[in-house]
């Protein structure tokens, strides 16, 4: 079997979920290099829209029902080489918990000032701009 290149692997859709002045972050059981804390995210399935994948992954990982509000941007992730899309989402229902215990170790609602402690290498600029405008400092 040959190793897949970045272009052959599905893109990753991430959900940026803000609630009561905090953003939802999850910690994976297996870190991807420096990536330990991140947003709920997963692979876009064939025929699936990026926004729909962000909504589905959020529900699968955290139990929250969310609605995609706005695609914030896309990039090839500098650490993983994967195509990433970032979608702002609003909660429609549920209580956040670790629903996917095989993938996630924990989750946290992170305040604006604590984001650098969870993501020391910084966020994708459109995501940071969105959070700067949405979260109270």
């Amino acid at each position: 079997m040959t190793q897949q290149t970045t272009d052959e692997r599905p893109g990753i859709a991430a959900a940026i979920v803000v609630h009561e002045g905090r953003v939802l972050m999850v910690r994976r059981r297996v870190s991807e290099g420096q990536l330990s804390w991140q947003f709920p995210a997963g692979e876009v399935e064939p025929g699936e829209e990026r926004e729909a994948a962000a909504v589905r992954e959020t529900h699968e990982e955290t139990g929250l029902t969310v609605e995609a509000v706005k695609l914030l941007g896309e990039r090839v992730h500098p650490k993983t080489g994967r195509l990433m899309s970032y979608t702002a989402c609003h909660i429609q229902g549920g209580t956040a918990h670790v629903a996917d215990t095989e993938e996630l170790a924990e989750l946290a609602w992170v305040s604006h000032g604590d984001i650098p402690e969870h993501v020391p290498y910084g966020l994708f600029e459109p995501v940071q701009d969105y959070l700067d405008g949405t979260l109270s400092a």
Side-chain angles (χ1 to χ4, degrees):
M1 228 176 153
T2 61
Q3 186 171 352
Q4 290 183 322
T5 65
T6 302
D7 295 355
E8 293 170 340
R9 294 190 299 173
I12 304 292
I16 313 304
V17 182
V18 172
H19 183 65
E20 295 180 351
R22 296 177 185 268
V23 64
L24 180 62
M25 299 196 81
V26 297
R27 188 169 64 81
R28 304 256 170 235
R29 287 206 172 277
V30 178
S31 296
E32 296 179 61
Q34 284 185 294
L35 302 180
S36 177
W37 285 96
Q38 53 195 255
F39 303 110
E43 290 186 349
V44 179
E45 295 179 350
E48 187 177 38
E49 293 291 326
R50 301 165 296 196
E51 296 89 338
V55 167
R56 176 182 50 75
E57 286 289 341
T58 301
H59 188 263
E60 289 174 2
E61 292 182 357
T62 72
L64 284 177
T65 301
V66 299
E67 171 187 23
V69 177
K70 177 183 176 186
L71 180 65
L72 299 175
E74 283 190 312
R75 69 168 172 175
V76 173
H77 198 285
K79 305 273 187 209
T80 66
R82 301 289 294 268
L83 177 63
M84 294 284 306
S85 66
Y86 300 84
T87 301
C89 297
H90 288 167
I91 296 176
Q92 291 189 307
T95 301
H97 64 281
V98 175
D100 186 341
T101 56
E102 288 182 19
E103 254 189 69
L104 301 183
E106 62 183 310
L107 59 76
W109 289 101
V110 180
S111 69
H112 188 260
D114 289 341
I115 291 171
E117 292 177 28
H118 289 78
V119 188
Y121 45 82
L123 296 176
F124 179 43
E125 192 172 331
V127 173
Q128 185 67 59
D129 291 346
Y130 173 76
L131 293 175
D132 288 349
T134 307
L135 297 177
S136 52

